[in-house]
Amino acid sequence: MKDAGGRRDGPLHGWVRGFTIGGTFHDDKAAGTFTGRWPNGRPAGEIVLRNGVAQGRLITWRDNGRRLGECTFTDGKVTTPLVLFDADGRKRVVFEPVAAGQLQLAHVYDVTGREAPAQRSLKEIFPVEHAFLEWVLRHTGTRRAE
């Protein structure tokens, strides 16, 4: 809904690349918990936004309900490692926060939990896309360090 000045104000319900997203805007800024849901109704992810800025824990799930990734935001920047989990719930990839809202690939683990070389591309190591995680990272300006 838009207010008299054309700004967004009130609930948001939309569809973004394979999942629904819901949240609230106040004075044209995202405010409160934004939740993504898969077409099957299961949660895709959750993040709190205050005045349009990510705050607190980001958690994302696969469409089968298993956790995919998690990290913490402070004032719109990732402040804890972004940890990605495989379909069986094992930690597989860890990105460490570095300067200017960037994440750097720090650790890769094989299916046994042992650290593995991170010489292959991320898509080979972790061949899954997750629209909610990508949406949050894009909207917070978080990117992978070169």
Side-chain angles (χ1 to χ4, degrees), residues 71 78-83 91 93-99 101-107 109 115 142-145:
C71 65
V78 177
T79 54
T80 64
L82 169 61
V83 180
K91 179 170 58 171
V93 179
V94 177
F95 289 93
E96 293 286 342
V98 293
Q102 296 183 29
L103 292 169
Q104 184 162 351
L105 182 61
H107 305 282
Y109 300 94
E115 193 154 1
T142 305
R143 60 194 184 286
R144 187 169 172 191

Side-chain angles (χ1 to χ4, degrees), residues 10 22 30 53 63 84 90 93 99 106 109 119-120 143:
V53 177
D63 63 355
L84 301 177
R90 297 176 295 233
V93 179
Y109 300 94
Q119 296 174 350
R120 297 178 294 164
R143 60 194 184 286

Side-chain angles (χ1 to χ4, degrees), residues 83-138:
V83 180
L84 301 177
F85 302 88
D86 69 15
D88 294 319
R90 297 176 295 233
K91 179 170 58 171
R92 294 299 300 276
V93 179
V94 177
F95 289 93
E96 293 286 342
V98 293
Q102 296 183 29
L103 292 169
Q104 184 162 351
L105 182 61
H107 305 282
V108 175
Y109 300 94
D110 66 19
V111 295
T112 67
R114 287 182 279 199
E115 193 154 1
Q119 296 174 350
R120 297 178 294 164
S121 76
L122 184 59
K123 290 216 182 262
E124 288 176 310
I125 298 165
F126 200 78
V128 67
E129 291 185 31
H130 192 285
F132 187 83
L133 177 61
E134 292 169 4
W135 180 84
V136 170
L137 296 177
R138 185 175 63 252

Side-chain angles (χ1 to χ4, degrees), residues 37-94:
R37 292 210 171 272
W38 292 108
N40 65 12
R42 291 184 183 216
E46 186 174 282
I47 184 75
V48 172
L49 296 151
R50 291 194 179 100
N51 290 319
V53 177
Q55 297 288 349
R57 184 175 179 215
L58 163 68
I59 186 162
T60 63
W61 296 276
R62 296 170 184 277
D63 63 355
N64 66 4
R66 292 206 180 232
R67 178 176 54 170
L68 171 67
E70 62 185 23
C71 65
T72 302
F73 281 83
T74 304
D75 298 329
K77 302 289 183 215
V78 177
T79 54
T80 64
L82 169 61
V83 180
L84 301 177
F85 302 88
D86 69 15
D88 294 319
R90 297 176 295 233
K91 179 170 58 171
R92 294 299 300 276
V93 179
V94 177

Side-chain angles (χ1 to χ4, degrees), residues 12-16 19-23 34-37 47 132 135-136:
L12 164 76
H13 298 288
W15 181 262
V16 180
F19 68 95
T20 60
I21 189 159
F34 274 66
T35 304
R37 292 210 171 272
I47 184 75
F132 187 83
W135 180 84
V136 170

